[in-house]
Amino acid sequence: MFDIVIVLAGALLGFRLLGALGVSRFATWRVSAAHAMAVMLVMTASAHFVPASVEVMPNHADLVGMVPPFVPYPGIMVYTTGVLELLGAAGLVLAATRRAAALCLVLLFALLLPANVYAAVADVPFGGDEATPLWVRIPEQLLYIAVALWAARPVPDGSTRVMRRELAG
């Protein structure tokens, strides 16, 4: 699971580098973080749809194994969360939907926490590797929640101030 954090951090640094090179879309850390989380989500969501016969990466069967027994229809739930991650990723890259997408992702990450706890406690292997310990899973979920909350904050710029004046006056 550390690979996911590396993807998030690498994408964040890559987008900020693009911002430093003059790509205005990535001029702030916050917007770059939103895009980095979108990259991470596309990567993690892809595993939800990978058949069990593919063993070079986590696959649908690995994720079904993480679903706690009290959750009905684990296969459908895995597909559903994959779709939600993809929708969240798309929402993060669009300024108009970034806040709503980020807040929905915070909720999704919170709802996925029991699956992470179950997988650690039940020692469920993931992607052909040993189970990720709980002391790693929980801080990672908290990191994703923190990044999503940070991305949800509006970016102060001239257009935001103009819009506020128009609404007030």
Side-chain angles (χ1 to χ4, degrees):
M1 291 187 73
F2 278 125
D3 297 343
I4 300 168
V5 174
I6 292 169
V7 168
L8 179 63
L12 173 61
L13 294 174
F15 288 130
R16 279 304 293 137
L17 176 61
L18 288 173
L21 294 173
V23 178
S24 61
R25 181 175 193 91
F26 306 116
T28 69
W29 281 98
R30 191 172 307 136
V31 172
S32 295
H35 283 75
M37 178 157 276
V39 168
M40 180 199 83
L41 286 167
V42 168
M43 185 191 93
T44 59
S46 67
H48 292 72
F49 307 100
V50 172
S53 59
V54 176
E55 297 176 356
V56 296
M57 65 180 285
N59 58 48
H60 181 80
D62 291 324
L63 294 170
V64 168
M66 289 178 59
V67 177
F70 64 84
V71 176
Y73 309 106
I76 292 171
M77 290 297 179
V78 168
Y79 287 130
T80 302
T81 56
V83 169
L84 292 173
E85 288 181 14
L86 290 171
L87 289 172
L92 287 173
V93 299
L94 301 171
T97 58
R98 184 171 298 131
R99 181 172 173 74
L103 292 174
C104 288
L105 285 167
V106 168
L107 179 60
L108 179 64
F109 293 144
L111 290 172
L112 292 176
L113 189 57
N116 281 290
V117 171
Y118 170 76
V121 172
D123 204 27
V124 176
F126 190 72
D129 296 329
E130 293 180 13
T132 306
L134 192 57
W135 64 267
V136 173
R137 287 179 182 271
I138 290 178
E140 280 189 19
Q141 285 298 109
L142 294 175
L143 171 67
Y144 305 147
I145 289 170
V147 172
L149 286 172
W150 187 39
R153 293 180 56 202
V155 176
D157 64 13
S159 64
T160 304
R161 284 190 284 276
V162 169
M163 188 181 304
R164 284 187 191 145
R165 273 186 264 141
E166 288 174 3
L167 291 173

